Amino acid sequence: EQPEYLRALAELQTSMAVEPHAELGSGLRTPIYALPGGFVQRLGRASTDFFYSGAFLAHDYRIGYIRIPSYSPPSATTALQQFEAEIAYFQQNTDGLIVDQMRNPGGQLCFGEDVVARLTPYDFRPTGYELRVSWSRVRSFYGNLAQARNQNADSWVIDLYEALYKDVSAAYRENRGRTGPVPLCGPGMTRSPATDRDGNVIAYTKPLMVIVDEFSRSTADSVPAMLQDARRAILFGMRTNGAGGTNTSLPAGAYSEGTAGMTLGLMTRAAPVATPDYPTTHYIENVGVRPDIEADYMTRDNLLQRGRPFVEAFTEAMVDHIRRSGN
């Protein structure tokens, strides 16, 4: 049986993953548009494939493509192994990589952070979370820290609980409603790139694009925010949903079969962001993440042509990104 401290940590590290299929293509492995002619598929045929991937040529550049349908794989360990294998292939065989997370309903916050660590070949700031503080939450963190110590948990688990307990207890003593930005997937606000057993960086190093839309939510909010803040990728599409993360649900009344959701922590970015339609803020909730190149898939032309104008637009944007990067 899983220890209580690990169950509590897993719940804390899980964002609001909305039920797939709420809209066309949500949470589905196959992209909602037809990929370019000459696209050679790699993943996506076998039932064990979590991702859909492949590559195609555009203007003599070989462009990799991988779709992340959600951040809730059946096994995070297996999915990351599969992702690493694809990244290794793309690193050797492509000039640039497109990551599609349109209509991604979210999932595990730390799985998303692990994906970023395999796309960013240098240190980056993970998403910070301002946690709502109550006495019961202070006691909960302390209890889980004590249990982790007593059961000789992994050092990173103990370090993380120590950091969280310190932050929530300080916020409670100072009569603050919430903490400052804290990490949920490690003890610090600096994350290193993924490495192999010998300490070699295995993250993708070439030009990167991430496709987002208004149905990219929760962890699909935080992943593009981390990549954009790290100046690692250009974002293409529409602003993300701004649903945020670290949510929970409770019964909506003694005589109701319904539930009510509530946010337990606010996602924060590395620095405040200014947009034309919102005040300057470092929060992701309700604001979302703005693309560097705006392109709306929800048009009549895309509907009638299986997304061909949209695909042509992101292909040209990717080619231009590769050229500007000097690759």
Side-chain angles (χ1 to χ4, degrees), residues 34-41 55-59 61 308 311-312 315:
L35 286 160
F39 178 81
V40 179
Q41 186 177 349
F56 62 96
L57 287 174
H59 298 280
Y61 293 107
R308 181 178 176 181
V311 172
E312 290 176 347
T315 300

Side-chain angles (χ1 to χ4, degrees), residues 19-51:
E19 184 68 22
H21 318 306
E23 61 277 334
L24 180 65
S26 177
L28 296 184
R29 183 176 60 189
T30 305
I32 60 174
Y33 43 74
L35 286 160
F39 178 81
V40 179
Q41 186 177 349
R42 286 176 50 82
L43 297 180
R45 294 189 178 94
S47 60
T48 53
D49 292 343
F50 181 68
F51 305 96

Side-chain angles (χ1 to χ4, degrees), residues 83-91 97 118-119 202-204:
F83 192 76
E84 286 179 4
E86 289 304 282
I87 291 301
Y89 172 83
F90 290 138
Q91 181 67 32
L97 176 62
R118 285 152 179 81
L119 295 173
I202 59 173
Y204 191 73

Side-chain angles (χ1 to χ4, degrees), residues 113 124-127 159-160 163 182-191:
E113 191 173 306
F124 63 94
R125 180 199 185 271
T127 303
D159 291 344
L160 178 55
V182 299
L184 293 187
C185 306
M189 290 300 293
T190 299
R191 177 71 187 262

Side-chain angles (χ1 to χ4, degrees), residues 3 11 26 32 37 43 75 105 112 123-124 135 154 167 204 221 225 252 256 270 304 307 325:
E11 181 178 348
S26 177
I32 60 174
L43 297 180
S75 166
D123 290 354
F124 63 94
W135 178 240
D154 292 340
D167 282 308
Y204 191 73
D221 288 307
S256 171
L304 295 178
S325 300

Side-chain angles (χ1 to χ4, degrees), residues 208-219:
L208 182 68
M209 171 189 285
V210 179
I211 305 178
V212 296
D213 68 358
E214 59 271 40
F215 302 113
S216 305
R217 46 191 179 255
S218 289
T219 307

Side-chain angles (χ1 to χ4, degrees), residues 98-150:
I98 295 172
V99 177
D100 174 11
Q101 58 142 63
M102 292 176 65
R103 308 194 179 197
N104 182 315
Q108 303 170 28
L109 296 168
C110 295
F111 177 69
E113 191 173 306
D114 287 338
V115 165
V116 175
R118 285 152 179 81
L119 295 173
T120 308
Y122 45 80
D123 290 354
F124 63 94
R125 180 199 185 271
T127 303
Y129 299 85
E130 294 186 3
L131 300 180
R132 180 72 175 90
V133 178
S134 63
W135 178 240
S136 63
R137 202 158 204 198
V138 174
R139 291 179 59 190
S140 174
F141 280 121
Y142 179 78
N144 285 309
L145 171 59
Q147 187 186 63
R149 285 172 172 165
N150 291 337

